[in-house]
């Protein structure tokens, strides 16, 4: 019998019914992992990286510049930028707010002496104090389509573009081209530098992204601003740059006010994978494998033993009131059907007492005090109460 039961429990159908939940969870995890991996294809580089083909990369504008015979060089250190700067070079700084004070000073000196063009993406007031004195940042605006509103040749040829972000104010002593106004303040400014070069401020980098390059005149403005010289240095500031160490303590990181700015871009996908795994694990653990099976109790306890056990507990706790309440409640439930009272009204004196009075043969004292009275004050009274309830029940049964 035991051998047959064991072989039955290990049959292929039984094993499959127990394992299919785990296999389904593993299959879903594998599918989810492959899907997320496919979605992340092309995200090996960060935002505004000219090697990235994803929607937040800038490979499209870099390829267009190369097609116009503009060489594109990626730099991650300030030494690479200053070594490549010259009158025939445009330097694009993708994150000027990530630079330390010493790096900003060196970049400003390079812009003033190189004779080339420097393009700064969304610099704020902290960066502008060093990089472009006389220009301050106002309250930012949302990115939307804006008209040139200036005489800058590049802007007039490009027409409407997607701009916004940082808005700029210039001192009266600063000679600048102010374009693409939002709320009365420009989001593109061109300031001339001493050595026949210039510095261009863009309030937002959206027009350089792959996802928005084809919108409005974004491509035209991007190619004109970045392709005016034969060489382009695409500067991606990095905290690993040795020049970022500022002995004067002036280093300032763009993400200081926003901790999430320092978290790698892949954290969202990692969180989604962990959440999906947690949900699948919860479904797997909560699933009931097979129908419920009733089991016999290992030990059968007699009702008399249970009663004696509860009685001893009441005795140790000196709970005469609780014991009396249990005795009276049980007596009322047994008496009610004998005198024609529904069980739901067994604990109602107005329903039970008149019915009992009409059935009694001998007087057993006050029924209200017996069935609904106060708790006994001693063990003798509790025993007397039990005897009287037992006598009442026998009397009603035999009447």
């Amino acid at each position: 019998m035991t051998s047959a039961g064991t072989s039955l429990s290990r049959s292929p159908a039984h094993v499959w019914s127990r394992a299919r939940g785990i296999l389904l969870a593993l299959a879903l995890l594998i599918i989810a992992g492959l899907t997320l991996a496919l979605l992340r294809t092309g995200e090996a580089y960060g935002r505004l990286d000219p090697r990235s083909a994803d929607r937040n990369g800038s490979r499209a504008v870099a390829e267009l510049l190369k097609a116009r015979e503009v060489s594109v060089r990626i730099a991650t250190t300030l030494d690479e930028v200053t070594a490549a700067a010259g009158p025939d070079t445009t330097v694009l700084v993708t994150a000027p707010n990530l630079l330390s004070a010493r790096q900003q000073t060196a970049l400003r000196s390079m812009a003033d002496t190189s004779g080339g063009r420097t393009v700064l993406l969304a610099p704020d007031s902290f960066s502008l104090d060093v990089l472009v004195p006389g220009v301050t940042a106002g309250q930012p605006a949302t990115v939307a389509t804006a008209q040139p509103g200036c005489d800058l040749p590049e802007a007039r040829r490009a027409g409407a573009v997607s701009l916004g972000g940082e808005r700029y104010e210039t001192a009266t002593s600063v000679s600048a081209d102010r374009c693409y106004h939002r709320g009365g303040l420009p989001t593109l400014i061109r300031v001339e530098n001493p050595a026949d070069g210039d510095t261009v401020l863009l309030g937002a980098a959206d027009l350089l992204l792959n996802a928005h390059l084809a919108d409005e005149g974004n491509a035209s403005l991007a190619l004109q601003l970045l392709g005016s010289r034969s060489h382009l240095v695409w500067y991606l500031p990095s905290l690993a740059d040795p020049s970022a160490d500022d002995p004067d303590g002036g280093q300032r990181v763009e993400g200081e006010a926003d901790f999430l700015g320092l978290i790698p871009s892949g954290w969202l996908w990692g969180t989604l994978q962990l959440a999906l795994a947690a949900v699948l694990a919860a479904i797997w653990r909560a699933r009931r494998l097979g129908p419920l099976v009733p089991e016999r109790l290992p030990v059968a306890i007699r009702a008399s033993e249970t009663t004696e056990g509860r009685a001893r507990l009441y005795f140790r706790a000196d709970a005469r009131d609780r014991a009396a309440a249990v005795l009276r409640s049980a007596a009322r439930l047994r008496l009610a059907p004998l005198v024609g009272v529904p069980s739901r009204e067994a604990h109602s004196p107005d329903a039970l007492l008149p019915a009992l009075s009409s059935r009694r043969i001998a007087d057993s004292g006050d029924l209200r005090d017996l069935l609904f009275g106060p708790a006994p004050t001693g063990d003798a009274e509790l025993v007397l109460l039990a005897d009287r309830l037992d006598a009442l029940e026998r009397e009603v049964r035999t009447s």
Side-chain angles (χ1 to χ4, degrees):
M1 181 68 70
T2 304
S3 177
T6 303
S7 61
L8 179 61
S9 63
R10 295 180 180 178
S11 63
H14 182 73
V15 173
W16 166 248
S17 65
R18 293 182 61 86
R20 60 185 178 186
I22 301 175
L23 295 176
L24 177 61
L26 290 176
L28 290 177
L29 281 176
I30 294 173
I31 294 173
L34 292 175
T35 303
L36 293 176
L38 291 175
L39 291 175
R40 292 198 60 187
T41 301
E43 291 186 0
Y45 305 105
R47 187 173 184 269
L48 291 172
D49 195 306
R51 297 163 295 185
S52 175
D54 73 345
R55 58 181 292 106
N56 291 323
S58 299
R59 183 175 177 179
V61 66
E63 293 297 327
L64 289 175
L65 288 169
K66 293 176 182 178
R68 295 170 59 133
E69 298 183 353
V70 176
S71 66
V72 180
R73 175 181 177 183
I74 300 173
T76 56
T77 65
L78 188 60
D79 291 341
E80 294 177 301
V81 175
T82 54
D88 60 346
T89 301
T90 298
V91 175
L92 170 65
V93 185
T94 59
N97 302 328
L98 193 64
L99 302 176
S100 67
R102 187 173 68 173
Q103 288 178 308
Q104 292 173 356
T105 301
L107 187 64
R108 166 70 190 282
S109 177
M110 182 271 299
D112 288 344
T113 58
S114 67
R117 167 170 287 181
T118 303
V119 180
L120 306 177
L121 298 184
D124 60 10
S125 294
F126 179 87
S127 303
L128 293 172
D129 290 341
V130 179
L131 294 174
V132 191
V135 180
T136 58
Q139 290 294 326
T142 57
V143 176
T145 302
Q147 298 295 330
C150 65
D151 294 329
L152 184 66
E154 292 93 330
R156 293 179 64 86
R157 286 192 291 266
V161 300
S162 301
L163 260 178
E166 298 287 348
R167 301 183 302 162
Y168 302 105
E169 301 180 40
T170 57
T172 55
S173 60
V174 177
S175 176
D177 294 303
R178 304 168 182 84
C179 306
Y180 298 104
H181 292 69
R182 297 294 309 280
L185 294 177
T187 57
L188 184 153
I189 288 183
R190 189 188 75 88
V191 181
E192 293 184 357
N193 294 333
D196 295 331
D198 60 7
T199 298
V200 179
L201 310 181
L202 280 176
D206 293 56
L207 60 87
L208 301 181
L209 301 178
N210 296 330
H212 303 292
L213 186 63
D215 298 343
E216 305 294 340
N218 292 356
S220 175
L221 182 62
L223 293 176
Q224 292 182 80
L225 293 179
L226 302 182
S228 61
R229 272 77 172 170
S230 57
H231 304 288
L232 171 64
V233 177
W234 200 295
Y235 182 25
L236 301 170
S238 169
L239 294 177
D241 187 351
S243 65
D245 297 330
D246 196 338
D248 299 329
Q251 184 177 5
R252 184 260 198 177
V253 178
E254 184 181 16
E256 281 182 344
D258 183 8
F259 175 74
L260 294 178
L262 299 177
I263 300 177
S265 59
W267 72 271
L268 178 59
W269 294 112
T271 303
L272 289 176
Q273 292 182 57
L274 290 176
L276 179 60
V279 170
L280 292 176
I283 295 174
W284 167 54
R285 296 296 297 173
R287 182 177 177 272
R288 190 179 71 219
L289 300 177
L292 294 176
V293 178
E295 296 185 47
R296 297 182 60 185
L297 294 176
V299 178
I301 302 176
R302 295 180 180 180
S304 60
E305 295 179 4
T306 304
T307 302
E308 290 177 3
R310 295 186 74 180
R312 292 191 187 98
L313 292 175
Y314 287 144
F315 177 75
R316 290 179 183 178
D318 201 20
R320 284 182 292 272
D321 54 345
R322 178 61 179 165
V326 172
L327 290 172
R328 283 172 169 151
S329 177
R332 290 195 297 265
L333 288 174
R334 291 193 297 268
L335 290 170
L338 298 177
V339 296
V341 176
S343 298
R344 64 177 179 275
E345 298 181 4
H347 304 296
S348 173
D350 296 335
L352 183 61
L353 294 179
L356 283 173
S357 299
S358 63
R359 296 286 299 275
R360 291 180 60 204
I361 300 175
D363 187 10
S364 297
D366 186 7
L367 290 176
R368 181 178 293 274
D369 181 68
L370 178 60
L371 294 172
F372 299 97
T377 57
D379 293 341
E381 292 185 13
L382 180 61
V383 173
L384 179 59
L385 174 63
D387 291 340
R388 292 180 61 193
L389 290 172
D390 188 46
L392 175 61
E393 185 176 353
R394 287 198 306 269
E395 182 180 2
V396 173
R397 288 183 182 277
T398 57
S399 62

